Amino acid sequence: MGEQKAYQHKVQYYETDQMGIVHHSNYIRWFEEARTDYMERLGIGYEKMEEKGILSPVLSVTADYLRMVHFGDTVSIECQIREYNGIKLTLVYDVVLDKTGMVHCRGTSKHCFINREGRPLSLKHSAPEFHEMFMKDMQERKKPEEKTKKEDKQKKE
C-alpha cells in the first residue's frame, strides 16, 4: 500500500462558468473521481466490491470553497479516511492547486455499506479483506501524525 498519491485533474472548459471559474458542482465530481482512484489504489475498487455484492452509497457530502480554480489549472485531490468503523466510512478531501500548493477546497463524504437488497453490511464480517485494507491504511496514516506529535512534544520539553 505505502504512500498514497493524490489524484490529479486538469480543469476542462465545460467545468467552468462564463468567467472561466470552476462551477461549484464539479468539486463533488472530483471528490468521487479521487475516491474511486483511492479505493483502487488500496485494492478495494468498486468493481471488486460490487462483484462481492457490496454497494457503498453516499450518505452526505460537504464542500468548503476557499479559493477559485480556473480553466486550464491542474489540481491534486488528496483523499484519506477520517473515520471508519466497519459499517460507515468518512473520507476527507483537499483540492490543491498544483502551481501554488494551496488548498482551494476542502470536503468530506460519508458512506455506508449495503448489500444488493439495501440491507446494511459490516465489512468486518462480510468482506474481512476489505475491512483489513481500510484498517491498515488508517493505521499507516496515523503513524506519521503520531510521530510528528511526539516530536513536537519533545521539542517543547
Side-chain angles (χ1 to χ4, degrees):
M1 222 171 303
E3 184 75 21
Q4 288 287 327
K5 291 172 65 178
Y7 174 75
Q8 296 221 296
H9 180 84
K10 183 172 181 179
V11 177
Q12 302 300 306
Y13 185 76
Y14 70 86
E15 296 175 307
T16 63
D17 59 20
Q18 260 186 329
M19 297 178 291
I21 299 168
V22 172
H23 187 270
H24 66 275
S25 64
N26 289 294
Y27 291 88
I28 306 305
R29 292 176 193 226
W30 298 351
F31 293 171
E32 184 168 347
E33 291 172 15
R35 179 173 64 252
T36 300
D37 181 68
Y38 173 72
M39 300 276 285
E40 287 172 358
R41 290 174 194 246
L42 282 181
I44 315 171
Y46 282 110
E47 285 181 25
K48 287 183 181 179
M49 289 179 67
E50 290 183 8
E51 284 172 7
K52 290 190 72 92
I54 301 167
L55 305 173
S56 183
V58 175
L59 300 174
S60 67
V61 176
T62 64
D64 293 322
Y65 307 102
L66 307 172
R67 295 171 186 83
M68 295 177 278
V69 176
H70 297 87
F71 169 66
D73 285 343
T74 301
V75 294
S76 295
I77 299 112
E78 299 167 2
C79 175
Q80 61 183 311
I81 299 171
R82 175 181 284 161
E83 296 174 6
Y84 170 72
N85 65 8
I87 299 168
K88 290 186 179 178
L89 171 70
T90 301
L91 297 165
V92 293
Y93 309 87
D94 281 344
V95 178
V96 178
L97 188 65
D98 285 359
K99 65 184 169 191
T100 65
M102 294 179 73
V103 176
H104 282 240
C105 180
R106 284 204 164 102
T108 63
S109 63
K110 294 183 181 184
H111 310 264
C112 66
F113 303 98
I114 60 173
N115 64 19
R116 294 199 186 281
E117 290 75 42
R119 298 181 200 276
L121 292 175
S122 166
L123 288 188
K124 189 174 186 177
H125 302 293
S126 60
E129 66 278 18
F130 294 159
H131 174 75
E132 288 303 317
M133 287 180 190
F134 280 133
M135 295 302 291
K136 183 177 179 184
D137 189 59
M138 279 192 350
Q139 292 306 315
E140 285 179 4
R141 289 182 180 273
K142 282 185 180 179
K143 286 178 187 174
E145 289 175 20
E146 290 170 0
K147 184 179 176 184
T148 301
K149 287 179 184 176
K150 187 177 179 181
E151 288 170 353
D152 288 346
K153 186 178 177 183
Q154 288 174 345
K155 286 178 185 176
K156 289 179 184 176
E157 292 175 349

